Amino acid sequence: MNTKPILGISGCLTGAAVRFDGGHKRMGFIMDELAEWVSFKPVCPEMAVGLPTPRPALRLVNTPTGDVRLRFSQARDQDLTDKMQQFAEGYLPGVADYAGFVVCAKSPSCGMERVRLYDEDGNRGAKAGVGLFTAALQQRYPWLPIEEDGRLHDPVLRENFVARVFALHELNAMREKGLTRGAIMAFHSRYKLHLLAHSQPGYREIGPFIARIHEWDDLEAFFVAYREKLMAILQQPASRKNHTNVLMHIQGYFRKQLNERQRAELREVIVNYHAGLLPILAPLTLLQHYLAEHPDDYLLTQKYFSPYPDSLRLRLTAN
């Protein structure tokens, strides 16, 4: 198993000059900050189906039958849909161990959402399409963290995506070592507070499911079902309300160890975070300080405190 998460990425986002206009869309965060912690596997689906750079622009065409086709903008009789689908069918099996994928926004091959649709007469339609390659990626791997470069400028979505990438990587690594009930339950235990921060209903639903692991004879089938549930919960960005709930829960572990002044100070910091007056790093730092002074075996295992490398500094702006 690769020691770093493997990320697929649209080639143009790495700085490679593979766009239709001969340019690129290099993304600084991806290449200057995240690159230290992941291994990239770039791909340009349009180049992969034999198109040159520069090349005529492509578009998604919504046919009267509701079928979405990939065609050249100016030569509407030239259809690349079958070529793109054949490429995806051959390429996607190799993505099974990836921990995420970053795609290029608005692209008729790679866009994740709001790709412009046209009718067969060339009239502009709604921004309601998904690039053909990315649509195939989503269909084959519904649990895979996928984001596009435009959305990753949003600090909340950026933090959420990176957290999902590292969670899936850890899950994949566990599977690679050989599935056991103990390993799955230990993994889930480490992620309990992290899940609670993302979705309280999801946390309550997945708990009974993991408790029934002994009813499953096929651990691989259990893993597949668990992975889908876990990643669906983590796809929901953690809210300030849910973070506050988790922080208050953690505070309870220190009731006996802290004096009245320390308890009041901690409570005030959490309340001020909830009110938006402090970043989440304020209560987290204080709680980690108390955890170092008063170690707790359960809390020390929790991924909630550090779901990804701290040097990425994603919690400075996300909450």
Side-chain angles (χ1 to χ4, degrees):
M1 189 75 188
N2 196 306
T3 57
K4 294 181 178 181
I6 300 174
L7 284 190
I9 185 169
S10 293
C12 60
L13 301 180
T14 68
V18 295
R19 281 175 57 77
F20 75 97
D21 58 2
H24 62 78
K25 288 183 66 179
R26 187 182 189 278
M27 188 174 183
F29 168 72
I30 294 293
M31 300 311 299
D32 299 333
E33 299 177 50
L34 191 58
E36 178 183 353
W37 301 102
V38 305
S39 297
F40 286 121
K41 299 291 185 180
V43 62
C44 175
E46 294 175 14
M47 295 280 286
V49 299
L51 297 180
T53 182
R55 55 184 172 272
L58 299 170
R59 64 173 49 164
L60 292 181
V61 177
N62 203 2
T63 67
T65 61
D67 188 23
V68 176
R69 311 293 295 181
L70 179 64
R71 296 174 179 167
F72 286 106
S73 298
Q74 301 303 321
R76 300 172 195 164
D77 58 330
Q78 297 185 39
D79 194 304
L80 293 171
T81 308
D82 292 342
K83 279 189 175 182
M84 184 61 71
Q85 291 174 341
Q86 289 168 9
F87 164 70
E89 288 174 7
Y91 174 87
L92 290 179
V95 176
D97 62 344
Y98 285 18
F101 218 106
V102 185
V103 296
C104 180
K106 301 180 182 179
S107 163
S109 58
C110 292
M112 191 182 84
E113 63 176 18
R114 295 176 55 79
V115 179
R116 176 78 70 182
L117 295 173
Y118 293 79
D119 66 19
E120 292 196 308
D121 294 324
N123 298 311
R124 291 159 62 94
K127 292 182 178 179
V130 178
L132 289 196
F133 172 78
T134 298
L137 180 65
Q138 291 174 325
Q139 183 175 7
R140 187 176 182 102
Y141 301 110
W143 64 87
L144 185 70
I146 303 172
E147 269 297 355
E148 58 183 24
D149 57 313
R151 285 168 50 93
L152 286 176
H153 290 294
D154 182 314
V156 173
L157 296 180
R158 178 185 294 189
E159 194 268 348
N160 176 260
F161 173 70
V162 174
R164 285 187 288 143
V165 163
F166 280 89
L168 182 57
H169 176 63
E170 185 176 345
L171 195 65
N172 288 342
M174 177 190 68
R175 184 193 202 181
E176 185 74 12
K177 292 177 182 177
L179 292 176
T180 66
R181 288 177 174 83
I184 295 172
M185 294 188 73
F187 173 93
H188 183 73
S189 178
R190 292 193 298 274
Y191 275 85
K192 278 186 174 181
L193 296 183
H194 193 52
L195 290 169
L196 186 59
H198 284 261
S199 170
Q200 294 186 41
Y203 173 85
R204 289 192 293 267
E205 178 186 341
I206 201 171
F209 175 79
I210 196 78
R212 295 195 298 272
I213 189 173
H214 295 286
E215 299 174 10
W216 292 64
D217 294 326
D218 187 343
L219 275 186
E220 177 65 24
F222 181 88
F223 173 87
V224 169
Y226 175 74
R227 176 180 59 192
E228 186 168 344
K229 291 178 182 294
L230 175 86
M231 299 311 295
I233 294 171
L234 294 181
Q235 189 172 5
Q236 304 175 56
S239 67
R240 189 175 295 271
K241 177 182 177 182
N242 284 348
H243 272 307
T244 301
N245 182 49
V246 173
L247 295 168
M248 289 291 193
H249 179 74
I250 297 171
Q251 176 187 238
Y253 281 82
F254 300 106
R255 282 194 305 268
K256 296 180 180 179
Q257 292 91 341
L258 304 185
N259 59 41
E260 185 176 348
R261 179 192 61 77
Q262 291 171 321
R263 289 195 298 269
E265 178 189 35
L266 179 55
R267 184 168 55 252
E268 182 180 8
V269 170
I270 295 174
V271 168
N272 284 337
Y273 160 71
H274 182 256
L277 301 176
L278 291 174
I280 193 172
L281 282 179
L284 276 176
T285 301
L286 190 53
L287 285 168
Q288 286 177 297
H289 167 72
Y290 288 137
L291 183 57
E293 286 193 351
H294 310 287
D296 179 89
D297 290 342
Y298 173 70
L299 290 182
L300 286 170
T301 68
Q302 290 303 296
K303 297 297 291 187
Y304 177 75
F305 290 107
S306 188
Y308 40 74
D310 292 339
S311 63
L312 288 171
R313 299 175 299 173
L314 296 175
R315 277 178 163 163
L316 286 173
T317 55
N319 296 284

